[in-house]
Amino acid sequence: MTKLSKPVGPPGTLDEWAHRFELLADPTRLRLLTHMHLHPGCPVNELADAAGITQTAASQALRVLREKNWVRATRDGRLSRYELIDGGVHHILHFMGHQH
């Protein structure tokens, strides 16, 4: 077995990326993120429709994404509009969109 000449990254960074991939592995969150990536500023009802889930389920998933600072909600009258703000996730989704 060969020894690695240098570490693949600091443990904290690797743990952070592992957690990102864990969040992305959830199909519902991935659908919501993908829709926000393609349609920034959409409301919960549009996101729920795009993901094929209820507005309540979308709101719960969006709460997790807001807590991780992946998305931001802005008020537009009575609506909350969501947009993807995490650059790393944006790049992953952009890359995924070019893989056909």
Side-chain angles (χ1 to χ4, degrees):
M1 193 150 123
T2 58
K3 196 174 182 183
L4 292 174
S5 59
K6 56 183 166 175
V8 292
T13 301
L14 293 177
D15 291 344
E16 198 175 296
W17 275 104
H19 186 65
R20 283 176 177 251
F21 287 121
E22 182 182 315
L23 288 172
L24 287 169
D26 179 80
T28 297
R29 284 192 294 260
L30 188 54
R31 284 185 194 102
L32 293 170
L33 288 164
T34 300
H35 192 77
M36 277 184 277
H37 175 69
L38 298 172
H39 308 281
C42 50
V44 174
N45 63 324
E46 182 181 325
L47 288 164
D49 288 345
I53 58 176
T54 65
Q55 287 188 33
T56 301
S59 293
Q60 290 171 349
L62 290 166
R63 179 183 50 79
V64 171
L65 297 172
R66 277 194 324 271
E67 289 172 355
K68 298 298 178 189
N69 293 317
W70 284 21
V71 303
R72 171 178 47 221
T74 53
R75 296 295 291 175
D76 180 13
R78 294 179 60 181
L79 291 177
S80 288
R81 297 190 176 276
Y82 289 85
E83 62 182 317
L84 176 62
I85 59 171
D86 184 280
V89 175
H90 170 80
H91 288 300
I92 291 169
L93 295 173
H94 186 74
F95 177 78
M96 285 173 41
H98 286 86
Q99 302 302 305
H100 296 287

